[in-house]
Amino acid sequence: MLSAPIGRFITFCARHAYAVVALFFILSGGAVFAGMNFLGVTTDTSKMLSDRLEWKQRSDEMGRLFPQKENLLVAVIEADLPEEGRETARLLAERLAADHTHFNFAERPDANPYLVRNGLMFLDPQPLSQVLNDTITAQPFLSALAQDPSARGLFGTLSLIAEGVKQGQADLGGFQTALSGFADNMEKAAAGHPQLLSWEQLLGGKLSDLAGRYQFVITKPKLDYGSFQPGGAAADAMSKAAQSLEFVRNGHVKVHLTGQVQLDDEEFATVAEGMVAGLLGSLALVTLWLTLAVHSWRVVLPIVVTLVVGLLLTTGFAAVAVGTLNLISVAFAILFVGIAVDFAIQFSVRFRAQHQNGESEQGILAALAETGDETGHQILVAALATSAGFLAFTPTAFLGVAQLGLIAGIGMMVAFVCTTSLLPALLKIFHPPLDCPSMGYAFMQPVDVKIRHHRKILLGIFGAVAVAGLALVPRLQFDGDPLHTKNPNSEGMKALHLLMTNPQSSPYSAELLVKSLDEAKAQAARLSAVPGVHDAMWLGSFVPEKQEEKLALIQDAATVLLPTLIVPSPKPAPDAQALRDAAQNTATALGGILDKLPQQDPLRRIQAALAKLATSSDQIVLDANTALVRFLPQELDQLRVMLQAKPVTVKDVPPELADDYLLPDGRALVEVHPNGVMSNSGALRKFVTSLQKEAPDIAGTAVDIVESARSIVRAFEQAAAAAIVMIALILFLALRRIRDMALVLAPLMLSALMTVILIVLLPETLNFANIIALPLLLGVGVSFNIYFVMNWRDGVQHPLASPTARAVLFSALTTGTAFGSLALSHHPGTASMGRLLLLSLGCTLLATLVFVPALLPKRDIDKE
């Protein structure tokens, strides 16, 4: 047995206490240096899975071939008026493009001149015909406005309306909505509260909604990987530039930041938020539980120092072996404290219960030796089994947990070494009192007796619970969407949710790379017909269909409109008096037809506002002019450009658009967008599965999410099986009996099945962050169960009344405290991790304290 060598090792460390403490402090200093200089953190969830996975290789290849789509910082501009949004986007893009310190490029994808010029041709023939007919009907007014793009010209067009009504030749039925909107603006302007008029909404009506509600500025920021938030400086520069713009300052426009860079930076900030406070709070509560467990600060302080040193050494190992932590492995510190404290508590509680003279040095040394004989081999087996549970995940494709498994697995052995060397040395130095009879729970002896008396009933109940857990296993669902583990209240996630309802801006797209444009055309047509697909875009999607028919309509309209819209010398801007005169003339003209107008006709309101404006101050009149026609010149310019559309082919698509869909070697990209909101994991899985049946090599964000979930589930199935086999082997080698091995594994399986029941009933969704509860469940469960089974083998009676039960209970409290700090995190993924860890810990504690005492076979020494 190993108990004797471990006992001698503990005694040796205690005899050379100061040298041992000095050695560990030197090692801790080296670990701190390594952690500060070589340990980093990444929030990139794409690094969570192995590059050897085929779908991951395709995803990485897409990122390499189309780098302009990776690591973007996007400004989503939400405006009261479309013109305000466009103007804000234009100015913001100009400022960011000029900022070469923070950005590689800044562009507005929906403002490309090619798309603007051919805007009408992307409409279907019927709505295009209606738009052009309405525009031709408004030709007299547009002509007048082109010659005089001011409020004076606008008032003149209203005089034309008055003349038409007077002659009985004006049919205003189709203009009531536009006139009502104009009346609202006129009344506010006349009252001294001018509001900018949207000519796009006024002239385009419902057509203006087709462009979408939001404007975008897409940037490629320069990232500082030496910072915990690599895109932080660029995001600050973007926010600062946006806040300086007119419509943002006056509250008419909101600029939201999103994109991969923003989401990653926010995620790290959310994970880090409260992490230090949580860790300090956790340590404070752990100290409280330790005080209640061992009743002496002379024991508490050595335990805390041992935990801190063990954590520092494990951190140093992580810096050397891993280098960069991910969003899962970053939790190793709290997990180390939660599990390693069990070893220290087991040792310290047994140490204080030794019947030795604690006043003398020899008494302390003898007590440490006896404690080592009693607990050393138990702690070693627990450490080995726990380490095996973690290390089983190291070979899997789920690098997030593989990394955590490596760090935590080695950390358990570090904890064992610290518990059997540094802790005895510190206890020797601090010299706590011994022979403490209160280390056990004598009042629990009757409970022990009742459990033994009703063991068959209890085993039947637990058996039924296990069967129920097995039945519910198929109902476990894994959500692999990384967006669901992010803080939904962060700016980046709020902005992303604004875009999810639009299929073409949805983050859940799929991509297929094919050999040529001809194949891209064929694949786009085929994938468009797949259920759940909204559209499949390729380079040819930027070439309007039915051009001959549409161009004929546009050219007919241009023949009528362009001669009057192209004015070489428009009238100069009017002064205040000219505007008052124009307002008075139009008010008089409209006043002459009031008897011909219905009572609710908006022209009545316009006439009253003009009459008031005709007597207003210069400032009010000039402000009214600005509000009414500020966006008119741009609208007229855009109309002139669109009426001069010409036939286009794929070769006419500009490089800034083509480069997103065509590679220099001729390979072409097909981008598939889902129909509907894909925030539900079931809908997303169905969408991807349908696409994979048609194109097995498809990639993209949607595929990454679904395939990562499948890969993670497979990794856990493999690791769980490997962990159980390894733990069973360690237990068999340590216990040398299959029955005793089964006594440890049975409560472990029961606690896992009870956790399944709670996950399904609450419910608690499994995700890539909280699924690490499985290896932890294995580790903690094995530790707790081993102590009881090995005590039973050593002839200990009444397990619930023993110091071991006290140690297990307070170990659970300290571990639960560590997990509770995770559950309070602002990061949803980390919080779900903490909740699931607490659930699994509760199930483990119930199995250990109730099921194990009932399960242990009766011995001759046991009383009825």
Side-chain angles (χ1 to χ4, degrees), residues 617-677:
S617 66
D618 288 0
Q619 190 62 50
I620 289 178
V621 172
L622 292 173
D623 288 345
N625 178 69
T626 300
L628 292 171
V629 299
R630 174 167 177 174
F631 299 128
L632 177 60
Q634 298 98 301
E635 196 69 23
L636 292 174
D637 287 342
Q638 184 168 302
L639 181 58
R640 294 184 190 104
V641 170
M642 289 192 295
L643 288 172
Q644 299 179 65
K646 291 180 173 56
V648 292
T649 66
V650 170
K651 295 181 180 178
D652 296 309
V653 179
E656 56 268 27
L657 296 176
D659 287 349
D660 286 346
Y661 294 89
L662 184 65
L663 294 172
D665 61 7
R667 286 182 292 173
L669 186 73
V670 179
E671 189 174 75
V672 186
H673 301 113
N675 193 13
V677 178

Side-chain angles (χ1 to χ4, degrees), residues 114-178:
Y114 171 87
L115 297 177
V116 174
R117 183 173 64 254
N118 298 295
L120 291 174
M121 285 209 293
F122 285 104
L123 298 175
D124 290 331
Q126 185 173 353
L128 173 62
S129 178
Q130 182 64 46
V131 167
L132 293 174
N133 288 336
D134 291 344
T135 307
I136 290 172
T137 301
Q139 186 271 340
F141 310 109
L142 294 175
S143 175
L145 291 172
Q147 295 176 36
D148 186 1
S150 68
R152 177 181 58 197
L154 177 58
F155 299 159
T157 63
L158 294 172
S159 297
L160 294 177
I161 293 177
E163 185 62 27
V165 171
K166 186 175 182 181
Q167 299 296 329
Q169 299 175 349
D171 181 9
L172 302 179
F175 295 94
Q176 289 301 298
T177 301

Side-chain angles (χ1 to χ4, degrees), residues 477-491:
Q477 295 291 328
F478 184 82
D479 183 1
D481 191 343
L483 295 180
H484 293 168
T485 63
K486 299 181 188 293
N487 182 1
N489 297 316
S490 68
E491 181 181 8

